[in-house]
């Protein structure tokens, strides 16, 4: 009775674990690009693939690992398992994946796409198709952000603007945040590829057919080893990611430079307003100073001056003339102290070598306009 009870308890616990096991929506693609769709529980899937439960956990945002002659790929929402015979896409019901899966991936695996690994085993095609999709996705995000950022900066970097459009700043803030996310994704992608490139054993483990099919030659049609083919493939996409990262870095530098110029323009206009306010204050002080004469005549005290009809025009003229002279003297004093100091004397040798040192290649018209505005603003300031 005790043994029957333990057996019943074990069966009940196994049934409970099987019921809570997650179910994957799987898309299976073979070497000819034929697709099959089915749903399978995680326990059944990793047992069929000869893996362990932790191998299908996909705990990393981006990773490429090998387990038991299987390649497990995770590119954020893209989960894939590559074998020498077929490719499994897990949880394929995603709006971002449907177009690629049904219109491009099947044809690429069957040999109708634009891959360069058709002469190599199946795992090369599968890896290249996934890496090509991810690079094209990152490239599309950069192509979407770049014109928006350039257009916004062109509208903001204008020395004639006395204020900054808050809606443009909000758009620039959102685009800057998206650019930071893109830079992070590119960095993670490069680090994932670089981890494999730094380990020769990992590169060889990615060549699945080399270990499963003894008839696969060590050298391909190009005369190099399959491991070297895999290394060249990964280096190619690492270089593409590096180029995208450089373009994103240039956009980031352009945003920072434009932000500095915006602040310079605003400071310049602020200085103009402050100088105008100071001039008006000095004018008010001059008028108030000579206005004391009028105050003296308005104190209801009798004198012989108010009987002369010419005194009014004389006192009025003295007030205006004295106020104008005092205001001019204050303006000249202000001008002497606000004039920029003369630049230091530059020797003739330095003057000759200066143009050669200032040859800077500017890649975009906006960057050239930005630097020109900064020079004109600094000169006027």
């Amino acid at each position: 009775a005790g043994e029957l009870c333990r057996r019943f308890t074990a069966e009940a616990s196994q049934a409970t674990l099987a019921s809570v096991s997650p179910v994957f929506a799987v898309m299976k693609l073979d070497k000819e690009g034929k697709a099959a769709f089915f749903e399978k529980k995680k326990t059944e899937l990793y047992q069929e693939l000869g893996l362990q439960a932790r191998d299908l956990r996909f705990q990393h945002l981006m990773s490429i690992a090998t387990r038991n002659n299987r390649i497990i790929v995770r590119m954020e929402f893209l989960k894939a398992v590559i074998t020498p015979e077929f490719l499994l896409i897990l949880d394929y019901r995603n709006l971002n994946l449907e177009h690629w899966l049904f219109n491009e991936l099947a044809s690429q695996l069957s040999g109708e796409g634009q891959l360069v690994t058709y002469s190599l085993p199946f795992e090369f095609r599968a890896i290249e198709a996934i890496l090509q999709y991810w690079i094209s996705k990152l490239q599309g995000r950069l192509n979407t952000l770049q014109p928006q950022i350039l257009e916004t900066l062109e509208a903001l970097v204008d020395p004639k603007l006395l204020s900054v459009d808050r809606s443009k700043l909000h758009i620039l803030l959102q685009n800057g945040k998206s650019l930071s996310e893109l830079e992070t994704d590119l960095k993670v992608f490069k680090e994932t590829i670089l981890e494999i490139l730094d380990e020769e054993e990992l590169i060889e483990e990615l060549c699945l057919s080399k270990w499963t099919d003894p008839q696969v030659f060590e050298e391909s049609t190009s005369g190099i080893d399959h491991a070297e083919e895999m290394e060249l493939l990964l280096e190619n996409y690492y270089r593409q990611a590096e180029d995208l990262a450089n373009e994103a870095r240039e956009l980031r530098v352009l945003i920072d430079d434009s932000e500095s110029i915006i602040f310079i323009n605003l400071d310049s206009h602020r200085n103009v307003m402050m100088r105008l306010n100071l001039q008006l204050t000095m004018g008010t002080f001059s008028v108030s100073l000579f206005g004391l004469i009028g105050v003296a005549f308005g104190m209801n005290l009798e004198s012989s001056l108010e009987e002369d009809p010419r005194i009014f025009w004389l006192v009025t003229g003295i007030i205006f003339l004295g106020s104008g002279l005092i205001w001019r003297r204050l303006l000249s004093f202000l001008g002497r102290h606000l004039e920029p100091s003369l630049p230091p004397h530059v020797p003739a040798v330095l003057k000759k070598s200066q143009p050669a040192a200032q040859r800077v290649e500017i890649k975009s018209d906006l960057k050239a306009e930005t630097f020109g505005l900064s020079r004109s603003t600094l000169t006027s300031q």
Side-chain angles (χ1 to χ4, degrees), residues 164-284:
V164 179
D165 191 356
R166 293 186 178 181
S167 62
K168 297 292 184 182
L169 285 179
H170 183 66
I171 294 175
L172 183 61
L173 180 62
Q174 291 181 341
N175 292 333
K177 184 178 179 181
S178 301
L179 184 62
S180 299
E181 294 176 354
L182 176 60
E183 289 177 335
T184 302
D185 293 341
L186 286 170
K187 181 181 177 182
V188 174
F189 180 80
K190 287 165 49 182
E191 290 177 352
T192 303
I193 300 297
L194 194 60
E195 269 183 35
I196 302 175
L197 292 175
D198 290 339
E199 298 291 338
E200 185 177 357
E201 296 180 357
L202 295 179
I203 297 177
E204 292 184 353
E205 289 178 358
L206 293 177
C207 304
L208 304 181
S209 300
K210 185 177 181 179
W211 310 103
T212 57
D213 190 358
Q215 297 181 355
V216 174
F217 294 99
E218 289 293 327
E219 294 186 356
S220 63
T221 56
S222 59
I224 59 177
D225 186 78
H226 281 176
E228 295 179 1
E229 293 274 10
M230 181 64 71
E231 184 177 359
L232 291 175
L233 176 64
L234 296 177
E235 283 183 354
N236 178 33
Y237 286 96
Y238 178 83
R239 185 174 61 254
Q240 294 184 30
E242 183 68 24
D243 294 339
L244 293 179
N246 291 334
E247 294 182 14
R249 195 178 301 113
E250 289 180 0
L251 275 180
R252 175 63 61 189
V253 171
L254 186 60
I255 290 176
D256 296 338
D257 293 342
S258 302
E259 183 180 359
S260 301
I261 292 173
I262 291 171
F263 289 149
I264 290 174
N265 290 335
L266 293 178
D267 290 340
S268 176
H269 293 298
R270 191 180 299 111
N271 292 337
V272 171
M273 299 303 296
M274 292 176 62
R275 185 166 184 170
L276 178 61
N277 187 19
L278 183 58
Q279 291 176 354
L280 294 176
T281 302
M282 290 188 299
T284 305

Side-chain angles (χ1 to χ4, degrees), residues 66 86 103 191 261 299 301:
T66 55
F86 53 84
N103 299 334
E191 290 177 352
I261 292 173
M299 292 192 322
L301 297 178

Side-chain angles (χ1 to χ4, degrees), residues 43-232:
T43 53
E44 300 175 356
L45 185 61
Y46 71 73
Q47 288 176 1
E48 290 183 4
L49 295 175
L51 301 175
Q52 298 182 3
R54 64 174 178 269
D55 296 331
L56 300 181
R57 193 177 300 157
F58 299 102
Q59 66 270 23
H60 300 289
L61 290 178
M62 190 169 295
S63 63
I64 301 176
T66 55
R67 295 286 188 277
N68 196 16
N69 208 31
R70 303 286 188 267
I71 301 175
I72 304 169
V73 181
R74 172 70 184 270
M75 298 288 180
E76 291 187 4
F77 50 83
L78 175 60
K79 308 172 186 177
V81 178
I82 303 173
T83 70
E85 294 81 19
F86 53 84
L87 168 65
L88 297 180
I89 304 294
L90 309 181
D91 293 335
Y92 67 93
R93 295 170 180 171
N94 191 307
L95 295 177
N96 298 324
L97 290 176
E98 287 183 353
H99 176 77
W100 173 65
L101 291 175
F102 296 104
N103 299 334
E104 298 180 12
L105 181 59
S107 61
Q108 288 177 340
L109 295 179
S110 62
E112 300 176 1
Q114 297 179 353
L115 303 181
V116 297
T117 54
Y118 290 128
S119 60
L120 297 173
F122 175 75
E123 64 269 14
F124 285 82
R125 278 178 283 167
I127 292 177
E128 185 182 4
I130 293 175
L131 294 179
Q132 188 182 81
Y133 163 75
W134 197 250
I135 284 293
S136 62
K137 184 175 179 61
L138 296 175
Q139 179 72 55
R141 290 169 58 184
L142 181 61
N143 293 338
T144 303
L145 284 175
Q146 189 171 13
Q148 295 178 0
I149 292 176
L150 295 179
E151 182 182 358
T152 305
L153 292 179
E154 187 177 359
L156 288 175
V157 182
D158 189 355
K160 298 180 181 179
L161 295 178
L162 298 179
S163 61
V164 179
D165 191 356
R166 293 186 178 181
S167 62
K168 297 292 184 182
L169 285 179
H170 183 66
I171 294 175
L172 183 61
L173 180 62
Q174 291 181 341
N175 292 333
K177 184 178 179 181
S178 301
L179 184 62
S180 299
E181 294 176 354
L182 176 60
E183 289 177 335
T184 302
D185 293 341
L186 286 170
K187 181 181 177 182
V188 174
F189 180 80
K190 287 165 49 182
E191 290 177 352
T192 303
I193 300 297
L194 194 60
E195 269 183 35
I196 302 175
L197 292 175
D198 290 339
E199 298 291 338
E200 185 177 357
E201 296 180 357
L202 295 179
I203 297 177
E204 292 184 353
E205 289 178 358
L206 293 177
C207 304
L208 304 181
S209 300
K210 185 177 181 179
W211 310 103
T212 57
D213 190 358
Q215 297 181 355
V216 174
F217 294 99
E218 289 293 327
E219 294 186 356
S220 63
T221 56
S222 59
I224 59 177
D225 186 78
H226 281 176
E228 295 179 1
E229 293 274 10
M230 181 64 71
E231 184 177 359
L232 291 175

Side-chain angles (χ1 to χ4, degrees), residues 2-69:
E3 185 178 355
L4 290 175
C5 182
R6 285 193 299 271
R7 184 180 301 174
F8 176 77
T9 305
E11 292 177 355
S13 63
Q14 291 178 359
T16 304
L17 290 176
S19 62
V20 299
S21 177
V23 178
F24 288 119
V26 183
M27 179 180 182
K28 183 178 179 180
L29 297 161
D30 58 9
K31 296 180 180 181
E32 287 74 24
K34 297 179 181 179
F37 306 92
F38 55 88
E39 293 184 355
K40 186 161 290 190
K41 293 183 179 180
K42 180 179 179 179
T43 53
E44 300 175 356
L45 185 61
Y46 71 73
Q47 288 176 1
E48 290 183 4
L49 295 175
L51 301 175
Q52 298 182 3
R54 64 174 178 269
D55 296 331
L56 300 181
R57 193 177 300 157
F58 299 102
Q59 66 270 23
H60 300 289
L61 290 178
M62 190 169 295
S63 63
I64 301 176
T66 55
R67 295 286 188 277
N68 196 16
N69 208 31

